[in-house]
Amino acid sequence: MTRKRAQFSPRVISQMVILAICRFAEPVAMTSVSPYLYYMIAHFGVPQEEIAKYVGITFASFSFCQFFTGIFWGRASDKFGRKPMLMLGLSGTLLSLMVFGFSTNIKMAIAARCFSGLVNGNVGIVRTMIAEMVPEKELQPRAFSLMPLIWTTGSIVGPVLGGFLADPITNHPSWFSGKPPAFFKKFPFSLPNIVASMFFVIGLTTGILFLDETLDTMRDKPDVGRRFGGKIIKYFRSRSHNHKDIADETTSLLQSESSSVLNEEITTTQRQQASKPQSAPPIRDAFTFQSSINLLVYCLLALHSITFDQMLPVLMAYPPEDPENRFLPFKFAGGFGMSSSQVGFFFSIYGVIGMVMQIFIFPPITNKLGALRCLIISSFAFPVIYLLTPFAVILPEKLQQPAIFALLMVKSMAGIFAFPCSTILLTNSSPTLRLLGTLNGIAVTLAAMGRAVGPAVGGLTFSLGQRIGYLILPWWVLSLVTFVGALPVLLLVEDESFAGDKKKAAAVEEGEREEGEGETEGPVLK
């Protein structure tokens, strides 16, 4: 008998699209900064030899502050629901984005980044929502590749937006007839942030009106925004003479074909009981051996990946060194001397190719090899990439940009496999669904510390390497740290998904749990 391939239900697809719209603004805002941050800090009057250090500090400040609140947002989402915490994070990030764009000194810019980190735990919350929407292991590679795909798509738009719109008076004098506006003289880097804020407005509006709660204990609670969104849908459906019933705003968006019958049989009394906030299990229960190793791996992965992404634009923008000062093969410094628009263009092409790989290469290869094997391969590819990166500077000029592009492509492929696979393994190592938000909150917290330490130390070592004439210093230190960080991956095992956990819980509520738990665990859509 031929078994049918598991498929996403239309309901889940629509909710994942809405979640993607909510998430899209953040990668646009984050990646739009890279092309112009070097020039922004120079505009603040920071000496050239100190710019790389402050670029690292500015990048790190977001993650450093996120470290202190990541667990809080995870626990809050387990208690109060995923949607309100997600909307709150988007609102805070929108506010900080505008403050950053209108910063007039380095302290103000760093403070804006710090505030953004304090109010934003959305990475873990979005990951938790995806896990609750799609518990089936067969569907997880495609489901968990969605958010990296959104990040990749945003990383196409962001660098173009940042590189093209930053400092328009300098980069686009033809835009202004006569004397340039005083506004752009005072706030030369405000325009990309103003445009990026529009994506947040779209995401917030879409989420408030159409995104449903995924936490089991809160999904039946009345949602004013969702109710209004339902009325909007009904209005346009009536205008198109489509009289099909629209699911009420209290209908679960997590129903799959395998669990809809159970959910439909839950009585009104049980729904009211389920809608009451419940305390999540103690945090200590989240730390099993496998979940702890997964957390360590994810933290180190975040550390070295963001450090590379922060140092490379600085290297691309840094002025070239006089070749007479070099003593090859190891003593050389300088950079490529690219403009912000060139840097933005490079990273946008990098994003386009990454998006193609995310859609067409990642799911089939991960389904064939498994998440763990893909994570191991990509983890040991990173150190080689970082080791080779600085030598692109000493290549003949016509080969420099192709070399950087090739390194970016290999790094992109490694990252496209590493992050979703690490997320799948971490999610499936959760002891229970009731701790999933907490576990992802812990992951965000630890990854935030990695993203804070990495760019800060990377910026310091980059500045030190330039001063002493050894550009290889920060890259080789990064390569060594990455290799050591890849070793714990060898201790991981590929656990089964928790697809059966929700069905089992529903069966318990109905009093229908059978003695043989093997019949209720791990259902996979066929």
Side-chain angles (χ1 to χ4, degrees):
M1 182 181 294
T2 303
R3 294 187 298 180
K4 295 182 179 179
R5 183 183 178 186
Q7 298 289 339
F8 296 110
S9 69
R11 190 79 173 179
V12 170
I13 292 174
S14 65
Q15 281 299 295
M16 289 177 70
V17 169
I18 294 169
L19 190 61
I21 294 172
C22 296
R23 174 64 175 155
F24 181 71
E26 291 186 332
V28 171
M30 292 290 289
T31 59
S32 67
V33 174
S34 296
Y36 67 80
L37 185 57
Y38 178 93
Y39 301 96
M40 184 180 191
I41 294 177
H43 173 76
F44 293 149
V46 176
Q48 180 177 301
E49 62 273 13
E50 297 294 317
I51 291 177
K53 179 179 74 174
Y54 281 100
V55 167
I57 292 173
T58 305
F59 265 104
S61 58
F62 171 87
S63 299
F64 180 75
C65 291
Q66 193 178 52
F67 168 78
F68 293 102
T69 58
I71 295 178
F72 166 79
W73 291 116
R75 295 291 285 179
S77 74
D78 278 339
K79 184 175 182 180
F80 301 108
R82 318 300 186 198
K83 178 178 176 178
M85 297 303 104
L86 179 63
M87 297 300 103
L88 188 60
L90 288 175
S91 301
T93 306
L94 170 59
L95 177 60
S96 67
L97 180 69
M98 296 303 293
V99 174
F100 182 81
F102 287 90
S103 296
T104 55
N105 56 68
I106 187 65
K107 292 181 180 179
M108 187 175 177
I110 292 175
R113 296 278 294 181
C114 287
F115 178 76
S116 180
L118 288 173
V119 300
N120 194 323
N122 286 354
V123 175
I125 295 172
V126 169
R127 185 186 304 143
T128 302
M129 295 182 78
I130 291 290
E132 289 171 329
M133 289 178 185
V134 188
E136 295 82 14
K137 187 174 182 179
E138 186 177 349
L139 295 172
Q140 284 183 335
R142 281 181 283 167
F144 280 102
S145 67
L146 174 63
M147 289 305 114
L149 176 59
I150 295 303
W151 180 273
T152 304
T153 307
S155 69
I156 298 170
V157 177
V160 170
L161 187 151
F164 185 69
L165 298 180
D167 196 3
I169 293 178
T170 301
N171 295 323
H172 307 287
S174 60
W175 288 4
F176 310 100
S177 56
K179 187 178 180 180
F183 176 84
F184 289 120
K185 288 184 177 180
K186 186 176 182 179
F187 307 110
F189 302 97
S190 61
L191 187 57
N193 291 276
I194 292 172
V195 175
S197 68
M198 297 178 185
F199 291 100
F200 280 93
V201 174
I202 294 171
L204 276 166
T205 303
T206 303
I208 291 171
L209 294 178
F210 305 114
L211 184 65
D212 260 353
E213 181 58 61
T214 62
L215 181 63
D216 282 341
T217 57
M218 298 293 291
R219 67 189 184 189
D220 294 318
K221 188 176 180 180
D223 185 334
V224 176
R226 187 66 183 89
R227 184 181 296 119
F228 187 70
K231 291 180 179 179
I232 294 175
I233 294 175
K234 287 180 180 179
Y235 172 77
F236 283 103
R237 285 193 175 184
S238 64
R239 289 291 298 269
S240 62
H241 305 288
N242 186 344
H243 301 293
K244 294 181 179 180
D245 292 335
I246 302 174
D248 185 76
E249 67 273 5
T250 61
T251 302
S252 168
L253 299 184
L254 302 177
Q255 292 179 352
S256 63
E257 294 175 4
S258 62
S259 61
S260 59
V261 175
L262 284 174
N263 287 334
E264 288 173 1
E265 292 177 354
I266 296 178
T267 65
T268 302
T269 302
Q270 289 170 324
R271 285 183 182 274
Q272 293 174 347
Q273 184 68 26
S275 65
K276 297 179 181 179
Q278 299 179 10
S279 299
I283 293 180
R284 64 176 179 272
D285 291 353
F287 292 98
T288 64
F289 177 77
Q290 279 299 307
S291 67
S292 299
I293 297 297
N294 272 293
L295 287 169
L296 176 62
V297 169
Y298 185 77
C299 173
L300 295 172
L301 178 61
L303 183 151
H304 66 74
S305 182
I306 193 65
T307 303
F308 177 89
D309 291 343
Q310 168 256 317
M311 290 199 302
L312 187 61
V314 177
L315 178 64
M316 297 169 76
Y318 207 89
E321 181 192 42
D322 187 346
E324 294 182 359
N325 296 329
R326 297 173 176 174
F327 295 92
L328 302 180
F330 300 117
K331 191 176 188 304
F332 57 92
F336 297 96
M338 296 183 185
S339 67
S340 62
S341 58
Q342 287 177 306
V343 175
F345 175 77
F346 246 85
F347 275 85
S348 294
I349 297 299
Y350 161 57
V352 170
I353 296 178
M355 182 176 65
V356 172
M357 291 190 291
Q358 192 86 56
I359 296 173
F360 297 106
I361 297 178
F362 171 78
I365 292 180
T366 304
N367 277 326
K368 183 175 182 179
L369 299 180
L372 178 57
R373 193 174 299 174
C374 291
L375 179 60
I376 291 173
I377 295 171
S378 58
S379 294
F380 286 97
F382 285 117
V384 179
I385 299 167
Y386 303 157
L387 193 73
L388 296 177
T389 297
F391 292 100
V393 172
I394 61 175
L395 291 175
E397 187 174 350
K398 64 180 181 180
L399 297 178
Q400 288 180 355
Q401 292 192 8
I404 284 292
F405 188 76
L407 289 167
L408 274 173
M409 291 307 100
V410 179
K411 198 269 183 181
S412 174
M413 180 169 287
I416 281 169
F417 279 90
F419 280 99
C421 289
S422 178
T423 299
I424 290 172
L425 294 170
L426 176 64
T427 298
N428 291 340
S429 70
S430 177
T432 171
L433 278 170
R434 292 290 294 127
L435 277 169
L436 187 56
T438 298
L439 184 64
N440 279 319
I442 295 169
V444 170
T445 298
L446 295 178
M449 177 52 68
R451 291 189 176 103
V453 172
V457 175
L460 289 171
T461 55
F462 190 99
S463 294
L464 177 60
Q466 291 288 359
R467 282 200 300 270
I468 64 177
Y470 283 91
L471 177 61
I472 63 173
L473 176 64
W475 302 99
W476 284 27
V477 169
L478 181 61
S479 179
L480 177 62
V481 171
T482 304
F483 177 77
V484 173
L487 298 179
V489 178
L490 302 176
L491 299 176
L492 294 176
V493 297
E494 196 160 0
D495 294 327
E496 292 297 321
S497 73
F498 51 79
D501 198 28
K502 287 170 58 182
K503 184 175 179 180
K504 187 192 301 182
V508 170
E509 292 178 3
E510 290 294 310
E512 298 176 355
R513 182 176 181 180
E514 300 179 3
E515 293 183 359
E517 289 190 359
E519 298 179 9
T520 62
E521 293 186 353
V524 178
L525 297 177
K526 299 295 183 184

